[in-house]
Amino acid sequence: MIEDDSVALVTGASSGIGAETAVQLAEAGADVALAARREGRLREVADRVEATGSEALVVPADVSERDEVVRMVADTVDELGGLDVLVNNAGVMLLEAVADADPSNWRTMIEVNLIGLMNATKEALPHLREGGHVINVSSVAGRVAGETSSGYSATKFGVNAFTEGLRQEEADNGLRTTLIEPGFVETELADHIPDEDIQDHTEEMLAEMDVLQPADIARAIVYATDQPEHVSVNELMVRPTGQG
Ligand code: NDP
């Protein structure tokens, strides 16, 4: 359950799903630490969090850098007095066909989407209070791979595997884990696709559909978080109705 003294740390909180999740967790009563690289954007989200009456902490961090992840968690615990919910949401989607791929883009995706999430989880574990919760934002691409998503899907399949292993290891300790698997959501994610044709194709596909908004996924995250302690919502896949 989200209580008035709950503390959440949301990565990738500077835009899209992370920003909305931070605001909705705050509306539900949690104080929220906001992590990402763009400090100015985090400050704008912090204003929205504070407007709900909850406390906001801006913790600029690149989750692909282990020392920054360590500091991110430590600053959250020190400044907000503890930690109850970690939302590992930071991610990049650099879609490319294998034959054309720049391997450094694979490395970036693995380091942000997977290693960053693993490090944040490991650092958070000793601090999570009773009823603690780790929410990992995966994707439909974490269940089904497709053309041009091989590298991205490899990271999200990894997120799913890591989350299930963690669930089994920590169930006896009362840790709750949730995998969130969104379909198409209107965010800045597609802006960084390096291949112009794939980016155009993705944007056309999104334009044809009544896609999800970040708030739709944030609601799923708040639903999973705001359950009694004996209820662990392990997996939620949320697609736009029109996504085949
Ligand atoms: P956005 O691009 O809007 O948000 C991505 C967030 O990740 C930003 O806040 C960005 O902040 C942060 N981020 C990226 N790289 C780093 C880094 N190295 N260190 C810290 N933060 C980083 O896209 P979404 O909101 O869509 O993405 C959120 C999550 O949702 C991702 O994990 C994505 O894979 C997943 N998802 C999205 C879907 C969609 O259709 N949009 C579908 C399925 C899953 P900054 O640049 O300031 O660092």
Side-chain angles (χ1 to χ4, degrees):
M1 297 287 286
I2 302 173
E3 317 268 354
D4 279 348
D5 61 350
S6 294
V7 175
L9 165 59
V10 181
T11 71
S14 58
S15 61
I17 294 168
E20 287 305 317
T21 298
V23 172
Q24 288 195 22
L25 287 170
E27 282 168 351
D31 294 332
V32 189
L34 309 159
R37 294 165 301 174
R38 291 171 295 173
E39 191 171 345
R41 293 283 293 268
L42 290 176
R43 295 212 174 278
E44 289 169 24
V45 180
D47 289 343
R48 294 177 60 200
V49 165
E50 282 165 355
T52 70
S54 291
E55 197 174 334
L57 176 72
V58 169
V59 276
D62 181 337
V63 297
S64 67
E65 299 288 341
R66 187 172 157 72
D67 56 340
E68 295 193 27
V69 170
V70 171
R71 185 184 39 76
M72 168 185 89
V73 172
D75 285 355
T76 302
V77 172
D78 289 350
E79 301 285 329
L80 295 180
L83 186 59
D84 301 284
V85 183
L86 169 66
V87 183
N88 280 308
N89 162 77
V92 284
M93 181 182 74
L94 308 175
L95 301 180
E96 288 172 301
V98 175
D100 306 326
D102 174 349
S104 70
N105 288 333
W106 289 341
R107 182 174 292 277
T108 299
M109 286 194 289
I110 290 168
E111 287 179 351
V112 176
N113 301 1
L114 188 53
I115 306 275
L117 169 148
M118 292 163 76
N119 277 328
T121 303
K122 181 176 170 53
E123 287 311 305
L125 270 187
H127 298 288
L128 284 166
R129 297 187 284 216
E130 203 179 326
H133 201 149
V134 174
I135 300 200
N136 289 336
V137 179
S138 177
S139 171
V140 168
R143 295 275 294 275
V144 192
E147 287 180 22
T148 76
S149 83
S150 45
Y152 178 67
S153 278
T155 68
K156 294 300 190 180
F157 272 65
V159 168
N160 289 21
F162 180 79
T163 309
E164 174 57 15
L166 175 73
R167 184 188 73 75
Q168 292 182 26
E169 286 170 14
E170 295 292 336
D172 280 353
N173 296 332
L175 182 79
R176 294 185 286 170
T177 62
T178 304
L179 257 184
I180 302 287
E181 296 162 315
F184 294 126
V185 189
E186 190 175 338
T187 68
E188 298 172 20
L189 195 69
D191 297 356
H192 310 292
I193 296 173
D195 182 308
E196 254 179 56
D197 290 341
I198 298 172
Q199 191 181 55
D200 290 348
H201 174 72
T202 307
E203 277 164 7
E204 279 161 26
M205 229 166 42
L206 295 178
E208 282 166 12
M209 213 183 291
D210 189 5
V211 291
L212 299 175
Q213 297 302 312
D216 297 322
I217 299 301
R219 278 201 308 282
I221 292 173
V222 171
Y223 165 79
T225 312
D226 206 14
Q227 298 296 321
E229 271 183 33
H230 67 287
V231 179
S232 186
V233 178
N234 296 135
E235 195 165 358
L236 283 172
M237 184 180 281
V238 185
R239 291 189 181 94
T241 305
Q243 182 175 342

